[in-house]
Amino acid sequence: MLPSVPDHGDGEPDPHDGSPDDPGTPDGPDEMSTGSAESHERPTVRQPRIRRVMHPRTRDALAWTWVLLASLTLALLMRTFLVAAFLIPSESMESVLEVGDRLLVSKLSYRIGDPSPGDIVVFHTPPNMRPSQTSELVKRVVAVEGQMVQAIGSQLFIDGHRVAEPYLPSSTYTRDFGPNLVPTDHVFVMGDNRTASQDSRYFGTVPESEIVGRAFARFWPLSRLGGL
């Protein structure tokens, strides 16, 4: 009698069968290549930033240097284009302005507008007054272009009409002059202290281009601090 041989045709597959359809068999070459690629990938290491440590005193000194430079630059720009200081050198504008008073002068006023009667202005000293103690004078505008100005009996007249001057003491004496016609782009200026002022009655009208600016405030002495 021949020995019986087990029939695997209809039963479960042999676990030891090396069939290529066996899902348990790994794809050796693919998995190995993937593992090899991953093993060569390394994370990027960021180098630490080198910190520059400054001594606190050095840092403060630099900060104050920048502050001073910025302040000086601003002051220079303001003096050049906006505001200037002016020292009253004589008694020609008493009693409103006294010798030694310090004024703030707006350089922008007449770049955006025109001088008006009553304005106190600083202007370059006219050539026919040089040499002078100062290169700039301060006076009050009493008439502008196109106006006829004159004084009769200590009273000021513009275009034939008497002009009130509340900034003058009632006892102020004004010598007779005129009539004078103010040319285009000029102003007629006078000092408030009429008997001690050299002004347009002596050196003529002042071109508007020679005006430095309008005095708008007194900042010294502190006891007389205020607007003009």
Side-chain angles (χ1 to χ4, degrees), residues 29-156:
D30 291 341
E31 291 190 2
M32 288 181 65
S33 61
T34 303
S36 176
E38 291 179 353
S39 65
H40 284 83
E41 293 180 0
R42 296 182 180 179
T44 302
V45 179
R46 184 178 181 181
Q47 296 295 329
R49 181 171 62 89
I50 299 176
R51 302 185 63 83
R52 293 172 292 180
V53 180
M54 185 180 295
H55 194 279
R57 290 185 179 180
T58 303
R59 183 177 55 200
D60 292 344
L62 288 175
W64 279 109
T65 299
W66 280 111
V67 169
L68 290 175
L69 288 175
S71 300
L72 289 174
T73 302
L74 181 61
L76 181 60
L77 290 174
M78 289 184 63
R79 178 174 175 78
T80 303
F81 299 105
L82 299 178
V83 179
F86 182 80
L87 173 67
I88 299 298
S90 70
E91 67 277 6
S92 68
M93 285 295 292
E94 291 180 349
S95 59
V96 174
L97 300 175
E98 298 181 358
V99 177
D101 284 358
R102 293 183 180 272
L103 312 180
L104 291 177
V105 178
S106 170
K107 294 186 174 184
L108 192 60
S109 294
Y110 301 136
R111 294 184 181 181
I112 58 177
D114 296 320
S116 299
D119 289 354
I120 296 176
V121 297
V122 174
F123 56 94
H124 299 296
T125 303
N128 54 357
M129 277 194 66
R130 297 172 183 170
S132 175
Q133 294 180 349
T134 177
S135 61
E136 296 170 340
L137 300 176
V138 57
K139 307 291 179 183
R140 190 183 297 274
V141 176
V142 297
V144 297
E145 63 177 18
Q147 293 183 327
M148 189 74 72
V149 56
Q150 68 180 127
I152 303 175
S154 291
Q155 300 296 322
L156 187 68

Side-chain angles (χ1 to χ4, degrees), residues 101 218-226:
D101 284 358
R218 174 177 34 230
F219 67 91
W220 187 265
L222 295 179
S223 60
R224 291 162 56 80
L225 179 70

